[in-house]
Amino acid sequence: YYHTATLLPNGKVLIAGGQDSSNPTTSAELYDPASGTNGTFSATGPLGTARRLHTATLLPNGKVLLAGGADSGGNPTSSAELYDPASGTFSATGPMGTAHIYHTATLLPNGKVLLAGGLDSGGNPTSSAELYDPASGTFSATGPLGTGRYYHTATLLPNGKVLIAGGYNNGSYLTSAELYDPAAGTFSATGPLGTGRYYHTAT
């Protein structure tokens, strides 16, 4: 549990990381819906770093970016890796400038990935945000958010901006919402929501 599932361009699904009966795991599997009567799972990977509560983002080049999460010690990690469906292997990339858990990852129209908010290595809601550039394999700071938050949502809008909504911060269910503008690299207030919420959905 606390794993990710990512639909690949070849129609298979990458199941990566998460927690087994006791610890974060490096295991990964591919689900092939075309195999057998009801589809079959087969081993792939493994990940270079055990992680749970991470994000997994399909990149335009067909690889999958796995970023952050909790490591084998239960601590937020700044490590990131790429899964290559062609070779079935994971390789290190990044790392992030800030360790993140309970963050969001959003693929932008320019091919970069926005990672926003979450809890940092001190267990505090963070306002930090970063951009991952697949061309260079590096993360760079952007933002920051106006309000540190986790358990929030991040939704790519048709105009290319990203709506960050709700979440949790130090005992409060947030009503605040923000827009990220990739052209400016900044967040600005919008909304707010009528009701504070976290663990919600946004479409």
Side-chain angles (χ1 to χ4, degrees):
Y1 67 111
Y2 294 148
H3 56 287
T4 53
T6 309
L7 179 63
L8 303 177
N10 60 11
K12 297 181 180 181
V13 180
L14 172 67
I15 311 293
Q19 183 156 325
D20 60 19
S21 58
S22 56
N23 297 298
T25 180
T26 60
S27 75
E29 306 183 44
L30 288 174
Y31 176 73
D32 184 353
S35 176
T37 304
N38 297 307
T40 57
F41 289 88
S42 60
T44 190
L47 286 75
T49 299
R51 64 183 77 230
R52 61 185 173 93
L53 295 167
H54 53 284
T55 55
T57 309
L58 179 65
L59 303 176
N61 61 9
K63 296 182 179 181
V64 180
L65 171 68
L66 278 72
D71 62 18
S72 56
N75 302 306
T77 180
S78 60
S79 73
E81 45 193 307
L82 290 173
Y83 177 73
D84 185 351
S87 62
T89 59
F90 291 86
S91 59
T93 190
M96 295 185 285
T98 301
H100 293 261
I101 188 173
Y102 301 125
H103 56 290
T104 54
T106 310
L107 179 65
L108 303 176
N110 61 10
K112 295 182 179 180
V113 180
L114 171 68
L115 293 100
L119 292 178
D120 62 18
S121 55
N124 301 305
T126 181
S127 60
S128 74
E130 307 184 41
L131 290 174
Y132 177 75
D133 184 353
S136 62
T138 59
F139 291 86
S140 60
T142 191
L145 286 81
T147 301
R149 65 185 76 222
Y150 62 108
Y151 298 149
H152 55 285
T153 54
T155 309
L156 179 66
L157 304 178
N159 63 7
K161 295 182 179 181
V162 179
L163 173 66
I164 307 292
Y168 196 74
N169 182 320
N170 295 328
S172 297
Y173 306 93
L174 299 177
T175 59
S176 68
E178 312 183 37
L179 286 174
Y180 177 74
D181 183 352
T186 57
F187 292 86
S188 59
T190 190
L193 285 76
T195 301
R197 65 188 71 228
Y198 74 128
Y199 281 143
H200 53 288
T201 61
T203 309

